Amino acid sequence: MTGVSKRVLTAVAVSAVLGSLLTATPASAAESVDWQPCADAPGVDCGTVTVPLDWAHPDQGTATIALARRKATNPQARIGSVLMDPGGPGGSGTEEVKAGWSLSAAITERFDTVGFDPRGVGASTRINCGLSELIADHPQVPRNQAEFEQLAEYNRKLGESCTRITGPLAQFGDAKSVARDMDVIREALGERKLTYYGVSYGTLMGQQYAELFPDKVRALVLDSNMDHSQFTAWEFIKSETRSLQAGFGEFAAWCDRTPSCALHGRDVSEVTRDLQDKAARGELTDPRSGEPVTPLTLASIIQSNFYGPSWDRLASVLKSFADGTGASARLRADIPVNYVIPSVFCDDWRLPVHNFAELEAYRRAAAVLAPDVKINPLGWASVTGCIGWPNRTSNTQHPLQVHGAPPLLMLSSRHDPATPYAWSQTAARQSGSTLLTYDGWGHGAYFKKSTCVTKATDDYLITGKLPAAGTHCPAVEPGSANALLAGPKPPSTIGS
């Protein structure tokens, strides 16, 4: 999952409005990909497949799904294709593969690497929304019922603009539809069964593919899992916030034991809570830009620097805020944003919040759970972004049920700032999957320079052999020599 920055959002919105919808031609059951060299990425091939807009009514229009492929480096040892998705919602698999996103050399030797843009995203048929609706002022943290209603009205107008500009696709961006699209891709690639790596929100697509097409699974690696069995807004916010607060404790402990930390020798929790208090009083500003820093902004800065993690940078930012000096403050999260987030998330999750009093109770309870970070901003934005959303939730939550598929491999960092470890534990238990735990930090366990994680995952993708149940891989200390070793390249949405 990704975070939200209003300035980045504005830039994305401009692109969204200027981008035109791609027209599509009907697909046949035996469609193959007409690969052509990508104009903007030497050594990468580009292609498309065609899918129904509405899988329940496949005769009512089509959408185009964009693909990008790097061929296996050892054709004689080639096993097939590995389909990959970087998450989001809204991550572009084609752009990531063009930029060099890959699994390890052991995999790229034997598999073609194929990234795809899920429906609504990037070079696929897009979900576009109105620029004026997207950048309209609205309260991110309502202070009363009137502001709660303003937020609901903002979301309603934004959702209506998406449907008005995009058409029916705006109401069919859900992960289950994407999973059905993935089976079209599998067939078009000439694969009898699917080999897949999905990270973050890409795990939800993979989970639902295994539910829908268990007999078409060869090997699925689901890294940093979503838990689609959470049924209430509080359950979602609580699990997200509790995980982020635990991650803050890990950051503070690292600062205590690491002399190079900018806050070494200081009480990191005390410094951060003081900053939160100042932000709540409207007294905290970025010393570089002079812009105000709200509690939600401060929590977003903390969370975004936990993805890698980039603890050294976060310590410098917090120190600059506390001291009121320095030019190293960084307000904008490193995680890019995509305009399809509410269209997708609100189609996959029904997490109703009925009024300000209910929402405020959640905010206050979260602050008690997490005295340093106060709230997980990603969980908060996900829930509040659906308040008043006009389109129905078509892919509602349910416990993961996989029957008849070969064993799946799930990965998770023990301290994940975006998709809590507990989510992967739940998804693995519900599906009977094997969970490989990386006892370290950050989002996207495969990309944390752990040879233990990489080898176990690669062995599974190549041979189908799973690691032993309950396997844990030791943490790689952030900033250590081991963490700097070359390894698989993560997508830009996940820190390295």
Side-chain angles (χ1 to χ4, degrees):
M1 300 176 71
T2 57
V4 176
S5 162
K6 186 172 181 180
R7 291 188 176 181
V8 176
L9 187 63
T10 302
V12 171
V14 172
S15 172
V17 172
L18 294 180
S20 60
L21 286 174
L22 302 176
T23 58
T25 56
S28 68
E31 179 182 8
S32 60
V33 182
D34 179 20
W35 294 110
Q36 300 293 330
C38 299
D40 56 348
V44 182
D45 299 322
C46 287
T48 62
V49 297
T50 305
V51 299
L53 284 176
D54 178 0
W55 275 100
H57 302 92
D59 58 336
Q60 296 184 6
T62 57
T64 298
I65 306 300
L67 310 173
R69 176 187 70 176
R70 287 186 184 270
K71 290 184 178 180
T73 58
N74 185 354
Q76 288 72 34
R78 183 182 181 276
I79 296 172
S81 300
V82 56
L83 186 65
M84 296 175 59
D85 181 86
S92 168
T94 64
E95 291 303 313
E96 296 289 1
V97 168
K98 289 178 186 179
W101 180 39
S102 70
L103 302 180
S104 74
I107 300 302
T108 57
E109 285 178 3
R110 296 169 175 84
F111 290 89
D112 297 344
T113 300
V114 180
F116 75 105
D117 290 354
R119 51 176 54 216
V121 176
S124 294
T125 304
R126 290 188 173 194
I127 294 175
N128 289 336
C129 304
L131 174 60
S132 59
E133 290 85 357
L134 198 59
I135 65 174
D137 287 336
H138 61 283
Q140 293 182 317
V141 182
R143 295 169 295 181
N144 49 51
Q145 182 62 26
E147 289 195 355
F148 180 89
E149 292 170 3
Q150 290 171 18
L151 174 61
E153 180 71 359
Y154 166 83
N155 289 333
R156 182 187 66 78
K157 288 182 177 179
L158 177 59
E160 289 175 348
S161 79
C162 301
T163 300
R164 182 179 68 250
I165 295 170
T166 300
L169 180 62
Q171 300 182 49
F172 298 106
D174 62 285
K176 184 175 289 188
S177 293
V178 174
R180 294 186 182 278
D181 297 345
M182 288 164 57
D183 200 55
V184 174
I185 297 171
R186 174 199 60 78
E187 187 173 8
L189 293 174
E191 301 291 345
R192 190 172 64 87
K193 296 190 175 185
L194 180 70
T195 303
Y196 176 72
Y197 172 87
V199 61
S200 195
Y201 212 79
T203 64
L204 186 56
M205 307 162 192
Q207 291 172 11
Q208 299 201 334
Y209 184 91
E211 287 185 310
L212 291 168
F213 306 104
D215 59 328
K216 300 297 184 183
V217 171
R218 178 187 171 274
L220 265 60
V221 176
L222 306 178
D223 187 349
S224 308
N225 281 264
M226 300 298 295
D227 173 12
H228 203 224
S229 66
Q230 297 174 97
F231 290 97
T232 68
W234 170 237
E235 188 178 3
F236 192 89
I237 291 173
K238 179 177 67 174
S239 61
E240 284 271 51
T241 301
R242 180 175 284 158
S243 179
L244 187 61
Q245 176 63 30
F248 184 90
E250 294 292 308
F251 162 65
W254 171 83
C255 234
D256 285 345
R257 68 176 181 262
T258 307
S260 62
C261 172
L263 292 174
H264 183 68
R266 299 173 70 172
D267 187 327
V268 177
S269 180
E270 182 179 349
V271 169
T272 304
R273 294 185 194 191
D274 182 60
L275 292 174
Q276 286 282 11
D277 290 343
K278 288 181 178 178
R281 296 194 299 268
E283 299 172 0
L284 185 63
T285 59
D286 175 4
R288 182 193 61 174
S289 67
E291 295 181 8
V293 179
T294 68
L296 193 63
T297 300
L298 184 58
S300 296
I301 294 169
I302 293 169
Q303 183 176 37
S304 67
N305 282 288
F306 282 4
Y307 271 62
S310 302
W311 286 345
D312 51 351
R313 182 172 63 198
L314 175 60
S316 296
V317 170
L318 295 178
K319 183 177 186 299
S320 72
F321 284 171
D323 297 346
T325 59
S328 61
R330 186 170 183 156
L331 282 175
R332 293 160 190 83
D334 289 331
I335 308 157
V337 128
N338 194 282
Y339 54 86
V340 306
I341 289 175
S343 294
V344 174
F345 188 87
C346 302
D347 205 4
D348 283 332
W349 300 80
R350 186 177 184 275
L351 300 170
V353 180
H354 302 91
N355 50 49
F356 166 73
E358 182 182 352
L359 183 64
E360 178 67 2
Y362 297 158
R363 187 190 69 80
R364 289 179 179 273
V368 172
L369 281 176
D372 296 298
V373 298
K374 303 300 183 186
I375 193 78
N376 184 306
L378 186 54
W380 179 264
S382 298
V383 169
T384 58
C386 296
I387 294 172
W389 191 254
N391 298 333
R392 66 181 179 88
T393 303
S394 65
N395 184 30
T396 51
Q397 304 97 295
H398 64 276
L400 179 58
Q401 299 179 27
V402 179
H403 304 291
L408 313 182
L409 177 60
M410 294 185 174
L411 313 178
S412 181
S413 298
R414 183 67 184 84
H415 305 286
D416 188 314
T419 52
Y421 179 59
W423 290 6
S424 286
Q425 289 179 304
T426 298
R429 183 175 62 252
Q430 290 172 349
S431 62
S433 302
T434 293
L435 175 60
L436 176 65
T437 301
Y438 169 61
D439 286 326
W441 312 274
H443 189 48
Y446 185 84
F447 301 102
K448 298 312 172 201
K449 306 299 189 290
S450 165
T451 55
C452 172
V453 173
T454 303
K455 186 179 186 308
T457 303
D458 292 352
D459 286 348
Y460 167 73
L461 286 171
I462 293 168
T463 70
K465 180 182 178 182
L466 286 161
T471 297
H472 285 243
C473 290
V476 177
E477 186 77 0
S480 70
N482 287 337
L484 300 177
L485 293 175
K489 184 182 185 301
S492 62
T493 52
I494 295 176
S496 57

